[in-house]
Amino acid sequence: MNSVQTRSAERALSGGTWLIVCGAMLYSILTVTPLMAAHTAEAWDWTAPILPLVVDAAVVIVVKLDDVLARLGGHGGRWPIVLRWMTGLMTLALNTADSALKKDLVGVAVHAVAPLLLIVTAETSLAYRRAIAAAVAGLEEQQRAERERRERAVREREEAARRQAREEREHAAVLERERREHEAALVREQAEREERQRREEREARERAEAAERAERERREREREQREREREQAEREAAERRERERREQQARERRERQEREEQAERERAALLARGPADGKLPEDQARQIVTAAFGAGLSVRSAAELCGWSVGWVSARYAEHRDPGAGGASLAIASN
């Protein structure tokens, strides 16, 4: 039996129970009300239906609460049982009291059907509900166990799938790590080769630069050596030229001094001759005039020394004052 069939049986039991309860309540009200009216003061006849209603309300409460407790799988203890049997016996007594007082056994039997049916139905429905609740609980437990088993199987399959997926991922991760490590090793080896090649190229470049620098320094030293030698040679040549120039100047000074001394001696010799007895030859006269001019003698004194006229001597002095005339240079050259 599945849950749908169980709920259908519960609805049928509940509907039948409430149908019996309602019919018994209606029959009880119709049966007990005249009895209560006969045993109640005429002024209170209108209260005759209250007692069967109260008793029947107690029956309804008992049936409803038993239904709820049965559904919940609980137990109300002794007092619900006492209330259930008390309301049932009260309904039975009230329904059969009038016939019993009249000593009508058939009436007692007829009026006892509804209360007895109500009592038995209440007990039976309670037993049915408890049995159904137990069956439902067992079915639910079985279904729960089956569900848990299926869920456990699903979890185990999922766990196995996850474990397999994890193993595959770990295997793939291991392969990927090995691949990356291999690629990293290749890259590292390539980098090491490139680094070694760059280092060798750098060392070769440094050796070439060092050789070039050494060659450049050697050429620079040779150039500096040649420059020093050239400067030294130039300095020596300049010193030699300076020395030759100084020697030449000294020699020229000595020669000039010797010429001046010789000219001074000649001039002194010419001037020391005294006044001429007559007119001397022109070349001698010119030499005497030149010596007199150099000695700073007057024109008249020079004229007396050479025997020529003052005018001619003045003309010769003018020539000496104006080198353009060239007389003095010629006289000195001819001397």
Side-chain angles (χ1 to χ4, degrees):
M1 181 178 290
N2 53 27
S3 60
V4 176
Q5 294 173 339
T6 303
R7 285 194 297 272
S8 177
E10 288 180 346
R11 284 195 298 270
L13 177 61
S14 178
T17 301
W18 284 110
L19 180 61
I20 293 172
V21 169
C22 291
M25 288 175 59
L26 179 61
Y27 185 79
S28 178
I29 291 172
L30 295 176
T31 302
V32 176
T33 298
L35 177 63
M36 296 304 300
H39 293 81
T40 304
E42 293 183 0
W44 295 94
D45 287 344
W46 60 272
T47 62
I50 294 177
L51 182 60
L53 285 176
V54 171
V55 175
D56 293 338
V59 174
V60 171
I61 291 173
V62 170
V63 173
K64 181 61 179 176
L65 292 179
D66 286 340
D67 184 13
V68 174
L69 287 174
R71 289 178 182 275
L72 296 176
H75 194 275
R78 293 176 299 173
W79 287 107
I81 298 174
V82 172
L83 181 61
R84 189 169 57 251
W85 279 97
M86 186 178 66
T87 55
L89 293 176
M90 286 180 180
T91 301
L92 177 63
L94 290 174
N95 279 273
T96 60
D98 187 46
S99 299
L101 291 174
K102 294 178 181 180
K103 297 185 184 299
D104 184 5
L105 297 179
V106 176
V108 171
V110 171
H111 288 92
V113 172
L116 292 175
L117 183 61
L118 180 60
I119 293 171
V120 175
T121 301
E123 293 294 332
T124 305
S125 64
L126 179 59
Y128 279 145
R129 288 191 182 94
R130 288 177 178 174
I132 291 172
V136 169
L139 180 61
E140 289 179 352
E141 180 65 22
Q142 182 180 0
Q143 291 176 352
R144 186 180 62 80
E146 181 66 21
R147 187 169 56 253
E148 289 179 355
R149 186 184 63 79
R150 288 196 299 269
E151 290 177 355
R152 186 168 57 253
V154 171
R155 285 196 300 271
E156 290 176 355
R157 288 195 298 271
E158 291 178 352
E159 181 64 24
R162 285 195 297 270
R163 185 169 57 253
Q164 182 178 1
R166 185 172 59 252
E167 291 176 355
E168 291 178 355
R169 287 195 301 271
E170 291 176 355
H171 182 65
V174 170
L175 294 178
E176 180 65 19
R177 185 170 59 254
E178 291 177 353
R179 184 184 63 81
R180 288 197 300 268
E181 291 176 355
H182 180 65
E183 291 179 354
L186 293 178
V187 172
R188 189 166 54 252
E189 291 177 358
Q190 180 66 23
E192 291 177 355
R193 286 196 299 272
E194 292 178 355
E195 180 65 23
R196 186 166 57 254
Q197 183 177 1
R198 286 195 297 270
R199 186 170 58 253
E200 292 175 355
E201 292 177 355
R202 185 171 59 253
E203 292 176 354
R205 187 168 58 254
E206 290 176 355
R207 287 194 297 272
E209 291 177 356
E212 183 179 357
R213 187 168 55 254
E215 181 64 20
R216 188 167 56 251
E217 291 176 355
R218 186 185 62 78
R219 290 196 299 269
E220 184 68 21
R221 287 194 300 271
E222 292 178 354
R223 186 184 63 79
E224 291 177 356
Q225 181 66 24
R226 289 194 300 271
E227 185 69 21
R228 285 194 299 271
E229 292 176 355
R230 184 179 60 80
E231 291 177 356
Q232 184 177 0
E234 291 178 354
R235 188 169 52 254
E236 291 177 354
E239 291 176 355
R240 187 172 56 257
R241 287 193 299 273
E242 181 66 20
R243 189 170 56 254
E244 291 177 354
R245 185 182 63 80
R246 286 196 299 270
E247 291 176 356
Q248 180 66 25
Q249 290 178 353
R251 188 169 53 254
E252 289 177 354
R253 282 195 302 272
R254 287 194 304 270
E255 291 177 354
R256 186 170 57 254
Q257 187 176 2
E258 290 176 356
R259 285 195 302 271
E260 288 177 356
E261 290 177 355
Q262 184 178 0
E264 184 66 24
R265 286 193 301 271
E266 291 178 353
R267 186 168 52 250
L270 291 174
L271 295 178
R273 295 174 61 180
D277 294 336
K279 189 177 180 179
L280 298 176
E282 185 177 357
D283 55 349
Q284 292 181 2
R286 284 182 177 276
Q287 292 178 358
I288 292 171
V289 170
T290 299
F293 180 79
L297 298 178
S298 63
V299 175
R300 183 175 297 278
S301 297
E304 290 177 354
L305 291 174
C306 67
W308 287 71
S309 64
V310 175
W312 183 83
V313 173
S314 297
R316 303 290 82 75
Y317 268 42
E319 292 178 357
H320 286 294
R321 293 189 187 95
D322 186 7
S329 299
L330 291 174
I332 293 172
S334 61
N335 196 20

